Amino acid sequence: MRTVVMVAEKPSLAAALAKILSRGGAASRKGFNGACSVHEWTGRFPVTGEQARFKFTSVCGHVMSLDFVGKFNSWDRVDPAELFQAPTQKKEASPNLHMPSFLEKEAKGADFLVLWLDCDKEGENICFEVIDAVQSSMSRSTDKSIFRAKFSAITETDIVKAFNNLGYPNKNEAMSVDARQELDLRIGCAFTRYQTKFFQGKYGDLDSTLISFGPCQTPTLGFCVERHDKIQSFKPEPYWVLHVEVTSPAGRTLTLDWDRGRIFDKEVANLFLNLVKSNTTAKLTDVQKKEKAKPKPLALNTVEMLRVASSGLGMGPQHAMQIAERLYTQGYISYPRTETNSYPENFDLVGTLRQQQHHSDWGKEVSEILSNGIQRPKKGHDAGDHPPITPMKSASEAELGHEAWKLYEYITRHFIATLCSDCIYLLTTFTFTIGDEVFTCSGKTVIDPGYTTIMPWQAIPPEEMMPTCTVGETWPVNEIKLVERLTSAPDYLSEAELITLMEKHGIGTDASIPVHINNICERNYVTVISGRRLKPTTLGIVLVHGYQKIDLDLVKPTMRAAVEEQLTLIAVGKANYEAVLQHAIDIFKSKFKYFVENILAMDELFEVSFSPLASSGRPLSRCGKCRRYMKLIQAKPMRLYCPSCDEMFSVPQNGNIKIYKELRCPLDDYELLYCTTTIQGKGFILCPYCYNNPPFKDMKKMNGCNECTHPSCPYSLPQTGISSCSQCDNGVLVLDLNSAPKWKIVCNKCNVVVNILENAHKVAAMETTCDDCQSAIVEVQFKSKTPLADEAMEHTGCLFCDPVLVPLVEMKLGRHIRPVHRAGGGDRGRGSRAGRGGRGRGNRGKPKDKMAQLASYFV
């Protein structure tokens, strides 16, 4: 019996598809990577017509990601200009999931591969990532053994149809995504690294961790700043209108519109006021009635859904997209990433509508539509990707939750509305004369509400209906006055308006538009204000104005739109991948060179808007070189700056930094710091210089003293390590020396915190280890309130095995702790990092100076 391996894009999707295809008969097991399950059953394979063994599993999004090789990932050692030619490689997108190995193992010996990835360009790209992972382990891996399922909804009808009509993956679409990934990587990293280092090295209050540039992100920000500039340059201008109120014979008050509109000269406006204010009646000279239609909506595509979610439901585009994807994987709606807003002729509209017939909120309206016959949806744009977003089964708020329900309700009402008739109304216009001046008033009377019964927020309100009257009547005038008003500036762009502009100018795709908008918010380039409008920050404004001074193309949408057109040509097989990629790289490389040469034009704007490093921050700790105080700059990214040496040091982000007892690092003389995180009061000691410039080969940047391998420093790993962490692979539980009297041991890798020996005066790790668990033996001293038996003040033992100390430890981890190798003579103990054996304290005396310490380490 042949084996067929099938792969979906998400574990939940794999489970849903396997349930449909196996008719609930699949046996499930967990994959070795812990994230993906494998669903197995036996059934008929449509390609061969024979019985086959099926294995359905999934990935978790992209299997691989694109990155630079080796040294090119270093911001300090590589000129950003080199990134335009730097070699790249595909790396595992999520190394902890071991996805390629997992796929290779599950596909071993398989005869066929069926790909059930999302049916868009990104999904097509993931198809080939899966193929690359499994090809070598399949029993045969020809083009005729690898198939692609095309589907738009997680329903039995759609999935079975896709299974019976398998196609092949599209290499061209996958290559267009590869090209976009490489362009975004090279262009984004080159500009981002250069301007981040340049400006963060000069200014202290930028309040942004990264000053990023993106070929799509920057034009998106440009739209927001362009609107801001219009608001700032707008000068309100006064104008005057005649305000007239009349009363109908039935007693209803109407406000009339002056036929002349606005007058910008006050004297002229007063002239007209004097001509009419003596009149006490208005004569009805004409009544016009016209039947009009308020058209029902086109079928729903992604961009329209995001617009409505922002303007009507109060959801950001990124949040709305996440909810829509969840609704899709749960089978409630069709695929939410589509540019099409026109249903194909063979789409089962009646069957889909019938699913909503018994719904408590709109079931009555649906039954009426079905009994009267549906109206075909209007013809829109067919992009050839997926059908419009459609509800695939009925649901309730209790079932979905409030947020998901809001979006599902709109999608469903929108779909039902497309099958209704237009809203038909009568537009009635009254024309009055007061003296020689003409005034009008209009209103609407509903003839057929049509689709507005299901979308009531678009219904015509009853108060718009005009009263009954006859031409020639005179109506009493209640009030005539001259009203002064001011022309108003445009408002800041709303998310909905920004989405419209991005779609119009070809910036991003239906899938990436929410990501770009979210990026400019997270980078602190814009803030979301009332009404989900986007107000640029000072940083966002200065960046865009700087690009405009240097090279307008960097911020205008035209260049990215041209690149998107070329990528689309790759996807349809009409353009060469290498030629398009190299052409775009060459253009942006020359623009980057020009940008670097003229960066001072942008810097002039930064000087006006931001404070230099020397005048930012507060004094915190002493520099090891000049012995003067360094300043802690708390604006993002938080960092230390020495004004005398003009040096800057990164420090842990999102923590509380303070000086640690004015003690100094034995290697470089910098004063030590103590960082407290928000995780259960977890903290660690660090030297700012070692944190940025690791002194030993087995240390990495951004490591604190609890990962430093200095052999004799009292704050280093060899002196404070207790035991390996049971919750992570490489972590070591170390003594937090600043936690007294509520002592803690914390993992130097993960978030594990263990409370120990409260109120102890002194706790220290000793050279010897526990025979049972190989943890370091701990020496404990109390001064008062001793919890030890017989009021003893001292005790030595293992925190995890000693019966005296175990009750004083909050978490009993001893029996689950992995053995670790302690330093010297093959002893076992704390510190499981590679390359640390043979170092350490042993019976050697403490080195007397720094050079001796270094010699001690390297011996």
Side-chain angles (χ1 to χ4, degrees):
M1 187 181 293
R2 291 181 174 180
T3 301
V4 181
V5 172
M6 304 201 278
V7 182
E9 193 158 321
K10 300 178 185 71
S12 58
L13 201 55
L17 297 176
K19 184 178 180 181
I20 292 171
L21 293 174
S22 68
R23 298 183 179 180
S28 300
R29 59 180 170 84
K30 204 73 174 172
F32 81 79
N33 67 355
C36 304
S37 295
V38 183
H39 313 279
E40 298 175 297
W41 75 96
T42 303
R44 178 180 169 277
F45 186 39
V47 174
T48 61
E50 301 172 351
Q51 289 290 104
R53 175 177 171 242
F54 292 99
K55 296 171 73 176
F56 208 136
T57 188
S58 73
V59 291
C60 296
H62 275 283
V63 179
M64 310 298 287
S65 62
L66 189 70
D67 203 354
F68 295 111
V69 300
K71 69 169 188 176
F72 293 96
N73 283 312
S74 170
W75 283 45
D76 299 322
R77 290 182 294 174
V78 177
D79 183 347
E82 296 180 43
L83 300 179
F84 288 98
Q85 285 90 30
T88 60
Q89 64 181 357
K90 290 277 189 176
K91 296 180 178 178
E92 286 189 47
S94 303
N96 292 339
L97 297 180
H98 310 292
M99 196 61 72
S101 303
F102 166 72
L103 292 171
E104 183 181 17
K105 178 177 181 293
E106 294 301 334
K108 189 172 183 178
D111 300 286
F112 298 99
L113 174 67
V114 181
L115 300 157
W116 291 82
L117 286 304
D118 288 352
C119 298
D120 56 12
K121 291 174 186 173
E122 289 289 337
E124 221 62 38
N125 188 259
I126 300 173
C127 281
F128 285 90
E129 293 175 356
V130 173
I131 292 170
D132 290 342
V134 306
Q135 239 173 350
S136 61
S137 64
M138 291 176 63
S139 64
R140 56 176 185 171
S141 58
T142 64
D143 291 342
K144 299 298 181 184
S145 62
I146 298 173
F147 299 94
R148 177 75 160 104
K150 294 280 187 179
F151 59 100
S152 296
I154 316 300
T155 63
E156 185 171 348
T157 305
D158 272 59
I159 298 308
V160 172
K161 182 180 177 182
F163 191 47
N164 289 325
N165 296 275
L166 296 174
Y168 299 98
N170 188 322
K171 182 66 174 176
N172 289 329
E173 289 190 357
M175 288 170 63
S176 74
V177 174
D178 283 336
R180 180 184 286 109
Q181 287 177 348
E182 185 166 341
L183 286 175
D184 289 349
L185 176 71
R186 294 186 185 280
I187 297 165
C189 286
F191 278 90
T192 298
R193 287 189 193 181
Y194 179 76
Q195 62 189 26
T196 298
K197 289 181 69 178
F198 185 90
F199 292 117
Q200 284 187 352
K202 293 188 71 174
Y203 303 101
D205 54 349
L206 298 179
D207 201 26
S208 181
T209 306
L210 205 65
I211 304 175
S212 62
F213 175 93
C216 286
Q217 170 196 296
T218 303
T220 301
L221 175 61
F223 290 131
C224 300
V225 175
E226 185 180 7
R227 176 61 65 87
H228 168 83
D229 291 342
K230 287 180 180 177
I231 294 170
Q232 295 302 306
S233 61
F234 183 83
K235 293 181 180 178
E237 191 176 351
Y239 66 91
W240 292 264
V241 294
L242 283 179
H243 176 83
V244 177
E245 286 184 1
V246 297
T247 303
S248 71
R252 182 175 165 188
T253 300
L254 298 179
T255 300
L256 306 185
D257 298 319
W258 189 20
D259 212 33
R260 295 183 187 274
R262 303 184 292 183
I263 300 293
F264 286 87
D265 188 316
K266 188 174 183 180
E267 290 184 8
V268 174
N270 274 314
L271 176 66
F272 284 113
L273 176 64
N274 293 330
L275 290 174
V276 298
K277 69 178 182 181
S278 59
N279 294 276
T280 58
T281 59
K283 185 177 181 181
L284 181 59
T285 57
D286 187 34
V287 176
Q288 292 285 336
K289 294 187 177 183
K290 276 187 181 178
E291 190 173 293
K292 295 240 177 187
K294 188 174 184 180
K296 64 184 180 182
L298 290 167
L300 188 64
N301 64 12
T302 305
V303 169
E304 182 61 22
M305 179 190 73
L306 295 177
R307 271 197 290 254
V308 172
S310 176
S311 60
L313 306 180
M315 294 180 186
Q318 180 93 334
H319 182 49
M321 203 68 233
Q322 290 169 349
I323 292 174
E325 286 175 348
R326 190 163 68 246
L327 289 172
Y328 161 68
T329 55
Q330 292 171 344
Y332 291 107
I333 64 172
S334 63
Y335 193 61
R337 300 183 191 275
T338 177
E339 297 176 14
T340 297
N341 57 8
S342 180
Y343 283 104
E345 292 296 327
N346 60 353
F347 193 92
D348 185 10
L349 295 167
V350 173
T352 306
L353 183 62
R354 199 169 278 126
Q355 301 255 18
Q356 307 292 336
Q357 193 171 2
H358 303 293
H359 198 281
S360 58
D361 290 339
W362 47 73
K364 180 182 175 184
E365 289 85 350
V366 169
S367 296
E368 288 179 9
I369 296 168
L370 288 169
S371 61
N372 297 332
I374 67 168
Q375 301 281 325
R376 287 289 306 177
K378 294 191 170 185
K379 283 288 181 186
H381 170 64
D382 185 359
D385 48 359
H386 290 274
I389 303 169
T390 309
M392 302 313 296
K393 63 181 180 183
S394 185
S396 64
E397 183 172 2
E399 201 174 332
L400 300 179
H402 181 63
E403 286 286 285
W405 165 253
K406 285 197 301 183
L407 189 60
Y408 173 82
E409 180 187 19
Y410 175 76
I411 291 170
T412 305
R413 287 186 181 275
H414 189 110
F415 167 69
I416 299 169
T418 63
L419 306 179
C420 298
S421 58
D422 292 342
C423 172
I424 309 299
Y425 62 92
L426 192 67
L427 178 65
T428 304
T429 304
F430 293 170
T431 303
F432 294 89
T433 56
I434 303 176
D436 292 329
E437 292 304 299
V438 179
F439 298 83
T440 58
C441 184
S442 298
K444 298 170 184 174
T445 304
V446 176
I447 298 172
D448 177 7
Y451 79 94
T452 60
T453 56
I454 200 71
M455 298 177 85
W457 60 90
Q458 293 194 17
I460 297 169
E463 54 268 23
E464 285 203 34
M465 187 184 299
M466 296 297 281
T468 305
C469 59
T470 308
V471 175
E473 289 179 352
T474 57
W475 292 18
V477 175
N478 298 341
E479 182 181 33
I480 299 178
K481 64 180 180 181
L482 195 64
V483 177
E484 181 180 356
R485 294 175 184 159
L486 290 173
T487 54
S488 57
D491 209 340
Y492 286 104
L493 279 180
S494 67
E495 286 174 331
E497 291 168 334
L498 180 57
I499 290 166
T500 302
L501 284 170
M502 293 174 73
E503 182 191 32
K504 177 183 175 182
H505 292 279
I507 299 299
T509 63
D510 53 358
S512 65
I513 282 174
V515 177
H516 301 316
I517 296 175
N518 188 60
N519 281 344
I520 63 173
C521 294
E522 287 193 342
R523 300 280 189 264
N524 195 34
Y525 295 160
V526 299
T527 55
V528 181
I529 60 175
S530 177
R532 297 211 65 84
R533 295 188 176 273
L534 302 170
K535 182 179 180 180
T537 62
T538 303
L539 178 58
I541 295 165
V542 170
L543 274 176
V544 170
H545 289 172
Y547 295 135
Q548 290 171 342
K549 285 186 73 174
I550 298 172
D551 185 349
L552 196 58
D553 283 342
L554 293 176
V555 76
K556 281 291 182 184
T558 48
M559 178 169 281
R560 182 60 188 197
V563 172
E564 288 292 343
E565 287 178 13
Q566 293 297 309
L567 295 176
T568 301
L569 291 176
I570 294 175
V572 297
K574 293 183 178 179
N576 179 269
Y577 166 82
E578 295 291 347
V580 169
L581 184 61
Q582 194 56 51
H583 178 66
I585 289 173
D586 289 343
I587 289 174
F588 275 99
K589 182 182 176 182
S590 63
K591 288 191 172 293
F592 176 77
K593 182 181 178 183
Y594 186 77
F595 176 75
V596 171
E597 290 170 352
N598 294 274
I599 189 67
L600 293 180
M602 183 184 277
D603 191 34
E604 290 171 358
L605 301 176
F606 273 79
E607 283 180 351
V608 175
S609 305
F610 299 103
S611 303
L613 281 173
S615 58
S616 302
R618 59 179 177 85
L620 180 70
S621 63
R622 290 187 184 273
C623 171
K625 294 179 180 177
C626 66
R627 301 304 304 146
R628 294 179 180 169
Y629 275 102
M630 298 190 292
K631 291 185 174 183
L632 179 67
I633 298 167
Q634 291 186 300
K636 291 181 181 178
M638 192 157 58
R639 55 209 190 274
L640 271 177
Y641 175 66
C642 178
S644 300
C645 302
D646 193 25
E647 280 195 86
M648 191 158 53
F649 301 98
S650 297
V651 295
Q653 303 298 303
N654 305 318
N656 182 32
I657 306 286
K658 61 183 181 181
I659 193 166
Y660 180 64
K661 301 180 181 178
E662 297 186 356
L663 298 172
R664 300 177 190 173
C665 174
L667 288 176
D668 49 51
D669 232 23
Y670 278 77
E671 284 189 334
L672 299 177
L673 305 176
Y674 186 78
C675 175
T676 308
T677 67
T678 56
I679 305 163
Q680 304 177 48
K682 178 181 175 181
F684 62 94
I685 301 165
L686 69 128
C687 162
Y689 189 84
C690 296
Y691 189 77
N692 290 269
N693 304 280
F696 304 123
K697 287 183 288 187
D698 55 355
M699 278 185 68
K700 295 180 181 178
K701 284 186 82 170
M702 313 305 170
N703 280 352
C705 295
N706 58 13
E707 293 186 71
C708 175
T709 51
H710 192 293
S712 59
C713 173
Y715 317 109
S716 66
L717 177 61
Q719 301 295 325
T720 60
I722 302 295
S723 179
S724 290
C725 177
S726 64
Q727 306 300 310
C728 64
D729 291 334
N730 300 312
V732 178
L733 295 177
V734 296
L735 187 63
D736 183 352
L737 297 174
N738 200 50
S739 60
K742 297 184 178 182
W743 292 87
K744 295 183 180 75
I745 52 175
V746 300
C747 177
N748 62 4
K749 295 289 186 185
C750 71
N751 296 333
V752 168
V753 177
V754 184
N755 295 324
I756 61 168
L757 308 169
E758 188 169 350
N759 295 321
H761 171 63
K762 179 183 176 184
V763 178
M766 300 180 68
E767 294 289 345
T768 53
T769 58
C770 172
D771 293 334
D772 291 334
C773 72
Q774 289 78 49
S775 298
I777 297 298
V778 173
E779 180 185 6
V780 186
Q781 292 180 10
F782 288 89
K783 277 193 171 180
S784 60
K785 297 182 181 178
T786 176
L788 303 176
D790 300 325
E791 296 187 355
M793 293 297 178
E794 295 183 4
H795 188 79
T796 301
C798 173
L799 287 172
F800 309 112
C801 303
D802 191 308
V804 175
L805 297 182
V806 165
L808 307 180
V809 178
E810 184 180 291
M811 296 167 60
K812 297 180 181 180
L813 299 173
R815 297 299 175 186
H816 303 288
I817 290 175
R818 293 181 296 278
V820 294
H821 297 283
R822 285 175 65 91
D827 271 352
R828 293 175 298 173
R830 60 187 181 273
S832 61
R833 292 173 60 112
R836 283 177 16 209
R839 181 196 68 248
R841 298 177 291 190
N843 295 318
R844 269 183 254 168
K846 184 176 180 180
K848 295 180 181 179
D849 55 40
K850 294 178 193 175
M851 293 308 296
Q853 290 170 1
L854 290 173
S856 172
Y857 173 77
F858 286 113
V859 169

